Amino acid sequence: QVQLVESGGGLVQPGGSLRLSCAAAGSIFGIYAMGWYRQAPGKQRELVARISRYGFTNYGDSVKGRFTISRDSAKNTVYLQMSSLNVEDTAVYYCNTAPPEDNYWGQGTQVTVSS
């Protein structure tokens, strides 16, 4: 059974940075592509960044150039480095496989961008 645990969220001012972490209990990074998703209030969950099992990355248009996804397979951890944050980035952030598996959704980590 795979369990994904997100951490690193918090309150940050516009223009600030945060790094999110996703730790997996169970080794899946060598098998699946991984993604960071987010869900803002009143909006559907969206994929913001994806990393293939070979390390190739893709980003949503709204975060391109500001967010960087990476992974450390030895630590079974995926990261999302976020910079130049703005209020539209406020959301709960989740990690999952890409495409996502329903059984893998965790609690997420809240990111709030506010002055």
Side-chain angles (χ1 to χ4, degrees):
Q1 182 67 26
V2 174
Q3 182 177 9
L4 300 171
V5 180
E6 303 91 347
S7 63
L11 174 64
V12 62
Q13 292 186 339
S17 299
L18 281 175
R19 188 176 84 154
L20 307 183
S21 300
C22 170
S27 179
I28 62 173
F29 297 145
I31 301 174
Y32 301 107
M34 296 297 297
W36 278 98
Y37 302 77
R38 68 185 181 187
Q39 187 167 22
K43 295 187 177 181
Q44 289 192 335
R45 192 174 293 173
E46 62 173 343
L47 176 67
V48 296
R50 176 186 182 276
I51 185 166
S52 76
R53 62 177 183 163
Y54 304 109
F56 296 108
T57 58
N58 303 94
Y59 299 92
D61 288 341
S62 62
V63 307
K64 201 171 295 183
R66 300 187 299 121
F67 290 12
T68 302
I69 188 171
S70 62
R71 69 176 186 208
D72 185 334
S73 296
K75 296 182 178 179
N76 287 341
T77 302
V78 177
Y79 303 98
L80 185 68
Q81 178 67 48
M82 307 185 294
S83 61
S84 301
L85 287 162
N86 56 60
V87 294
E88 289 76 27
D89 296 316
T90 295
V92 180
Y93 285 72
Y94 304 85
C95 68
N96 202 324
T97 55
E101 291 286 340
D102 287 342
N103 292 338
Y104 293 174
W105 291 113
Q107 296 298 310
T109 186
Q110 175 72 49
V111 172
T112 302
V113 185
S114 175
S115 55

